[in-house]
Amino acid sequence: MTSTEPRTNVISYLGAPRLRHMAVMFVDLDHFMRICLDDPPEAVFGLLSEFQRLVTDVVSSFRGELNSYQGDGVLATFGDVADRPDCATRTLGCARKILEQIRSLSLDRTDVRPVSVSIGLQYGPIWTSTIKTSSHFGPTLIGDAVNVAARLEQQAGTLGAQIVAGDDLIQRASRESAQNASDLARFVNIGPLLVRGRQTPVDVWKLQMQSSDFLLENAPPLCGAPVAAALGEAQV
């Protein structure tokens, strides 16, 4: 039965949903639960403060938008701007820069455990609007790209990577500019991956780790086709 009574408990939104094509980035501190259990509260809050400052500065420098902080995680988006239609390229650059800065942060914290992050990236159409009760946060984002980026960040550790990107973002970056070829060459295709909440798999790429890198050591061996070879067959 459908009620004819007016609904008084509906939470309104402030504007009509807007469709945008954007790159999405989730960044999350690794092993944060263990850090909370093992480290004193002052050290945990200090780490969160440094982490949020670092990510905020780097995202801003790549002309991204901070959507929200979620405990030890950050959600950011990158859209094309008037003079720079290169949102995927800027997203990849931002993710790499965050890893560099996290390494510096970890080296500075000699009295506690090393710090590392996992990053998930994807590009696609996203609906945005602002829910009235959360208007002091960033806009609410709805779309497959948001969900995929979040799931890839969660599975980065099991994939032996710190940056994992969906194929849509890699393909978009490959079309934007030849200048980012060196960054793309560092990614390897690891094939389709089933992610929670999605019926069809996502083609996934991960940043290749090298012994001279700032990435985590003792990671599982890499497998898959380098992006330089695979993109030649997958251009759309």
Side-chain angles (χ1 to χ4, degrees):
M1 179 180 295
T2 302
S3 174
T4 58
E5 293 295 322
R7 299 176 65 187
T8 59
N9 61 340
V10 175
I11 299 174
S12 62
Y13 58 90
L14 299 181
R18 177 187 176 193
L19 181 64
R20 299 180 61 189
H21 285 73
M22 296 189 293
V24 182
M25 178 175 70
F26 275 92
V27 186
D28 199 67
L29 281 170
D30 295 330
H31 314 301
F32 188 66
M33 182 177 294
R34 189 177 68 191
I35 292 173
C36 290
L37 290 173
D38 294 347
D39 295 350
E42 295 81 4
V44 176
F45 278 102
L47 172 61
L48 281 176
S49 177
E50 292 177 275
F51 169 68
Q52 292 184 1
R53 175 196 55 77
L54 182 157
V55 174
T56 298
D57 290 346
V58 176
V59 169
S60 177
S61 71
F62 283 87
R63 303 180 73 173
E65 299 177 12
L66 255 299
N67 180 268
S68 62
Y69 290 109
Q70 302 169 352
D72 61 315
V74 179
L75 167 60
T77 59
F78 298 78
D80 289 335
V81 291
D83 58 335
R84 294 195 65 175
D86 59 350
C87 64
T89 300
R90 286 184 284 115
T91 304
L92 290 174
C94 182
R96 292 289 303 277
K97 188 66 174 180
I98 287 173
L99 290 192
E100 293 176 3
Q101 295 294 320
I102 287 292
R103 177 177 181 262
S104 298
L105 174 61
S106 185
L107 293 175
D108 290 342
R109 293 167 53 85
T110 55
D111 57 328
V112 293
R113 73 182 75 254
V115 181
S116 63
V117 295
S118 296
I119 301 176
L121 310 172
Q122 182 60 313
Y123 171 84
I126 298 170
W127 289 97
T128 72
S129 186
T130 301
I131 305 298
K132 187 174 182 180
T133 55
S134 60
S135 58
H136 55 292
F137 299 111
T140 298
L141 309 177
I142 298 175
D144 183 62
V146 180
N147 300 331
V148 168
R151 299 292 185 255
L152 294 182
E153 177 273 308
Q154 293 166 2
Q155 294 186 243
T158 61
L159 296 173
Q162 285 188 277
I163 300 179
V164 183
D167 187 65
D168 289 340
L169 183 127
I170 295 294
Q171 297 298 334
R172 166 70 193 245
S174 72
R175 297 192 299 267
E176 286 178 351
S177 172
Q179 296 178 353
N180 63 333
S182 59
D183 280 342
L184 287 174
R186 297 290 306 281
F187 281 82
V188 293
N189 182 260
I190 56 175
L193 178 72
L194 282 172
V195 298
R196 181 165 55 88
R198 206 173 190 272
Q199 293 183 343
T200 57
V202 179
D203 204 23
V204 174
W205 302 76
K206 67 178 180 179
L207 183 67
Q208 189 170 12
M209 301 181 189
Q210 297 180 355
S211 59
S212 60
D213 278 346
F214 48 80
L215 301 179
L216 289 177
E217 297 179 355
N218 302 320
L222 288 169
C223 61
V227 68
L231 285 177
E233 304 173 359
Q235 290 287 352
V236 293

